[in-house]
Amino acid sequence: MLAVAALAGCTALDPAPLPPSIEADAMASLDYAMQEFMDQDALAVLAQVRWPGGEWSKAYGVRDLETKQPAQPGDRVPVASVTKTMTAVSVLKLVDDGLIALDDPVNGLLESFGVGLKPPGPITVRQLLDHTSGMPSYGDALFRSMDDLVSASNQRLTPLQGLKIASTLPWDERTVGLFHYSDSNYLALGLILERFRGKGYPQILRDDIINPLGLTHTTIDQELSDAPDLITGYITIRGKRVTGSPTLEQLGSPSHGVVSTMSDINDFMAALFGGRLVSATALAQMQKAVIGPFASGMFKWSPDCSGAPRFFARGGFLDFRTIALSSADGRYQATMTLAPAPLPSPQENPDMQDERDLMSSQILSALMEAQDRLCR
């Protein structure tokens, strides 16, 4: 990941149409990276790249291991924590509407959910967005063993239930103000959104993002196990291959519930950084990384050719890895999803989490290299 940070990015001015040789060179580098994943026995890999005046997309692999239908660039995939970026947008819309401020304490709101959360000190909206609240992640209690993994995946878990599970873990005051990635933060933000908007989180996301942008292949609370255009992921449990996400536990989650396409995610990133979703003031606050590289719902990364940082959203399930990369001005997007070969869960083999994180780093590196070549 550190090596990736040294790469340069895209130009600040709209260029003349790129010579075909430059476009071909940039896409050849990305295509090579995709084929490398397939050489490592990946089930499928999908990507779409956009730049001023151009677009490229590709898919390798199959939709599932039963029918072996070829994967298509427009197929849907669970994008996991890319959902958090969308949730953050809806929260910033609350800020734009004057209903809440980023530095407002939310202790009273958290306690009013009645799930037993006991913040050790003042907790702000910004800290929930930036993962600096110190709130324990409900997954640490929910997914303790392989048996938990199977049972939890087959039950619908509401944000309230998730926070109730989180409340069984200690909330250490020493972690408040430090970066600690926790899905519980975004469950809480989803409930805060519902409190101020007076409707369910899935409808909020449709009203704020999905419908205005025409993201016709993006869903948040639909059961899609039989959808013909859905890429199926797999993991292994005690040596037996099982179907992974999307699962009932994920449906409607403000943390990781979105199922989408490469094109729809690029549309979302372009609209966000192009200033079409939140005010310029809110976007600037959203892009501000307080501790480390994590900003509000996304990661702040190495500068492009204009000197501005690039940003990416990262999603990861046991059976999928997704990176959505954008220039700060919204002119360049690149999104890739990888469905790797079935691997054991971290509960069975802890080293597998490092393996999956490496895949995410490789995806990011490949997408950035393609952008760098385009900006010649």
Side-chain angles (χ1 to χ4, degrees), residues 4-10 302-305 310 368-369 371-373 375:
V4 174
L7 296 173
C10 309
S302 63
D304 61 22
C305 289
R310 283 180 278 199
M368 292 185 70
E369 181 177 349
Q371 281 194 351
D372 294 338
R373 290 172 183 260
C375 87

Side-chain angles (χ1 to χ4, degrees), residues 15-342:
L18 292 175
S21 60
I22 290 182
E23 293 184 7
D25 179 54
M27 295 307 99
S29 74
L30 187 58
D31 188 59
Y32 177 81
M34 297 174 73
Q35 292 183 56
E36 284 285 293
F37 285 127
M38 295 305 300
D39 289 342
Q40 298 168 24
D41 298 323
L43 170 70
V45 57
L46 294 73
Q48 186 192 70
V49 180
R50 296 181 187 174
W51 61 94
E55 179 180 304
W56 180 93
S57 60
K58 195 79 175 268
Y60 284 103
V62 296
R63 287 173 170 167
D64 62 77
L65 293 176
E66 280 68 45
T67 68
K68 291 185 169 30
Q69 290 184 333
Q72 302 297 322
D75 284 346
R76 288 184 285 180
V77 297
V79 296
S81 288
V82 176
T83 306
K84 290 182 174 69
T85 312
M86 296 183 175
T87 299
V89 166
S90 287
V91 172
L92 267 293
K93 284 180 171 290
L94 284 182
V95 175
D96 279 340
D97 291 344
L99 298 174
I100 199 168
L102 285 175
D103 294 314
D104 281 351
V106 297
N107 294 52
L109 290 172
L110 294 176
E111 291 167 359
S112 69
F113 296 146
V115 295
L117 286 170
K118 296 179 176 61
I123 303 299
T124 67
V125 176
R126 191 190 303 274
Q127 288 175 319
L128 295 177
L129 287 166
D130 294 345
H131 292 290
T132 56
S133 73
M135 189 189 304
S137 181
Y138 75 93
D140 291 342
L142 185 64
F143 302 112
R144 293 184 186 272
S145 70
M146 289 182 290
D147 292 333
D148 293 336
L149 183 69
V150 174
S151 62
S153 297
N154 292 317
Q155 63 176 315
R156 184 71 179 263
L157 184 71
T158 68
L160 274 173
Q161 291 169 327
L163 290 185
K164 186 173 182 179
I165 293 169
S167 72
T168 66
L169 300 172
W171 191 336
D172 191 339
E173 64 179 348
R174 292 172 298 181
T175 63
V176 176
L178 303 178
F179 179 77
H180 171 68
Y181 194 92
S182 170
D183 287 336
S184 300
N185 288 314
Y186 278 75
L187 297 190
L189 287 169
L191 292 174
I192 289 171
L193 283 167
E194 291 181 343
R195 172 105 8 137
F196 281 95
R197 293 301 190 195
K199 50 191 170 184
Y201 168 80
Q203 188 59 47
I204 293 170
L205 204 67
R206 285 190 282 268
D207 292 345
D208 286 350
I209 296 170
I210 295 174
N211 293 340
L213 298 182
L215 306 184
T216 55
H217 295 92
T218 298
T219 61
I220 179 63
D221 56 353
Q222 281 184 250
E223 293 189 44
L224 297 170
S225 57
D226 296 328
D229 61 345
L230 180 72
I231 301 293
T232 301
Y234 301 88
I235 63 171
T236 62
I237 296 179
R238 298 184 179 96
K240 181 181 179 180
R241 189 184 77 203
V242 299
T243 302
S245 53
T247 66
L248 291 177
E249 181 267 327
Q250 299 158 15
L251 289 180
S253 171
S255 172
H256 48 253
V258 165
V259 175
S260 192
T261 64
M262 304 299 95
S263 178
D264 274 9
I265 294 300
N266 278 340
D267 283 345
F268 164 67
M269 297 292 275
L272 172 59
F273 291 101
R276 292 186 283 126
L277 287 176
V278 296
S279 69
T281 299
L283 181 58
Q285 288 295 317
M286 189 176 181
Q287 294 172 328
K288 184 179 179 181
V290 178
I291 297 177
F294 196 83
S296 296
M298 56 192 170
F299 291 85
K300 188 176 184 178
W301 212 237
S302 63
D304 61 22
C305 289
S306 72
R310 283 180 278 199
F311 294 86
F312 70 92
R314 182 178 70 188
F317 287 132
L318 297 180
D319 50 349
F320 285 98
R321 315 304 289 179
T322 297
I323 297 289
L325 176 69
S326 179
S327 60
D329 58 13
R331 297 179 306 121
Y332 292 80
Q333 289 80 43
T335 297
M336 182 188 293
T337 290
L338 168 68

